[in-house]
Amino acid sequence: MRRKIIAGNWKMFNNLSETVKLIDELKAKINNEALNCDVIVCPPFTSLETADRTIKGSVIKLGSQNMYFEENGAYTGEISASMLKSTGCEFVILGHSERRTIFKESNELINKKIKKALASGLKPIFCIGETLQEREEGITEKVVKTQVVNGLKDISADDMGKIIVAYEPVWAIGTGKTATPDQAQEVHSVIRNLIAELYSKEVAGNLVIQYGGSVKPDNAAQLLSQPDIDGALVGGACLKADSFFAIIKAA
Ligand code: PGA
């Protein structure tokens, strides 16, 4: 049985005081409830250390939204895996569609980042997904497969146990247009079968595949009840403790 993982991608929201407020509110809601899922928050870099201090004593885990693949050096504006580790980070979102589109990240670059994250003891949340145009052209499967094959190039079966895949159709991110549970399940099962082909049935069976793209309290339960949907990567709805907690409860 795969344990579900609900992660909140804060994107470029929340300064230090807002970080403390949101995490405190979330902690109060979770309180001592026994959850059926793991919970991760991914604040901006500037909030990581504060977030790490604030989640202490709770079940909430910490992730980041990006990193660079070099250890250190003249890379103005970039952050390394070991810097993230030193803030208390356990996870790192890599290959988010906003990184791919706005910052022109390629599958090859994302692959380098995944390898560096793994070598540094960070667990990647590896994002993939097709654009609206690609879906309309009927090439969703092809696009997602290319992203998986190239993004995971030379990653060992052992390391696959440390990776979370997040399927996020680009047309559903921040648009309020969620993939239907059937649409999402279809692609999740394509991804799991591909992992079985590339690695083994066992690796595929253990892989957590999150869905992301306008996950809200009112659609979370239906999405999360699909056999191959093992959690959610939540954007907009994770910025309020109420709605994020409702999604956690749905899991
Ligand atoms: P959204 O974002 O929930 O606001 O659609 C999801 C994501 O980008 O991870």
Side-chain angles (χ1 to χ4, degrees):
M1 261 300 277
R2 296 180 294 269
R3 187 171 163 86
K4 289 190 170 32
I5 302 177
I6 307 296
N9 173 9
W10 289 17
K11 308 196 179 183
M12 200 170 73
F13 290 98
N14 292 331
N15 62 23
L16 291 180
S17 57
E18 290 160 342
T19 295
V20 173
K21 183 168 175 280
L22 179 53
I23 292 177
D24 276 344
E25 286 170 3
L26 190 60
K27 273 169 71 172
K29 290 195 180 297
I30 296 175
N31 200 6
N32 286 325
E33 265 196 69
L35 301 177
N36 279 325
C37 63
D38 288 338
V39 179
I40 307 170
V41 293
C42 304
F45 293 139
T46 45
S47 285
L48 288 173
E49 197 193 349
T50 299
D52 185 55
R53 232 177 296 127
T54 316
I55 59 176
K56 286 264 148 53
S58 78
V59 295
I60 304 169
K61 298 175 179 184
L62 188 64
S64 168
Q65 300 171 22
N66 184 31
M67 52 161 260
Y68 196 54
F69 65 85
E70 293 287 0
E71 183 60 33
N72 45 42
Y75 305 103
T76 303
E78 293 297 318
I79 300 270
S80 74
S82 50
M83 290 170 189
L84 293 180
K85 281 284 285 183
S86 74
T87 68
C89 258
E90 214 182 311
F91 299 86
V92 58
I93 298 173
L94 294 173
H96 190 278
S97 73
E98 285 147 21
R99 301 295 321 171
R100 291 178 188 264
T101 20
I102 306 170
F103 301 100
K104 310 283 175 249
E105 292 197 5
S106 64
N107 288 321
E108 291 64 35
L109 175 67
I110 295 159
N111 177 249
K112 285 184 182 168
K113 292 185 177 193
I114 293 177
K115 284 182 187 152
K116 183 63 185 182
L118 289 166
S120 310
L122 286 170
K123 296 175 196 142
I125 301 178
F126 168 44
C127 302
I128 53 176
E130 82 287 1
T131 62
L132 182 60
Q133 194 187 341
E134 289 162 344
R135 174 158 286 260
E136 283 171 349
E137 284 171 18
I139 55 169
T140 296
E141 254 191 50
K142 189 175 147 223
V143 169
V144 166
K145 282 186 172 173
T146 305
Q147 290 171 335
V148 169
V149 169
N150 294 315
L152 298 180
K153 191 162 178 276
D154 301 326
I155 306 282
S156 71
D158 257 7
D159 276 342
M160 280 306 293
K162 299 169 196 139
I163 293 181
I164 298 167
V165 170
Y167 168 60
E168 300 202 301
V170 180
W171 49 271
I173 296 179
T175 58
K177 274 190 223 155
T178 326
T180 64
D182 285 350
Q183 278 176 324
Q185 166 58 30
E186 196 185 338
V187 183
H188 279 235
S189 123
V190 165
I191 297 165
R192 201 175 304 283
N193 290 337
L194 176 60
I195 296 297
E197 263 173 50
L198 294 172
Y199 293 91
S200 68
K201 274 211 162 126
E202 196 195 342
V203 169
N206 289 330
L207 179 69
V208 168
I209 309 177
Q210 295 177 315
Y211 169 79
S214 298
V215 176
K216 307 284 176 210
D218 61 357
N219 61 25
Q222 258 207 315
L223 286 160
L224 291 166
S225 64
Q226 298 299 310
D228 287 299
I229 301 186
D230 311 314
L233 182 54
V234 184
C238 82
L239 296 173
K240 293 266 180 298
D242 271 346
S243 45
F244 193 47
F245 185 63
I247 294 168
I248 292 168
K249 288 290 281 182

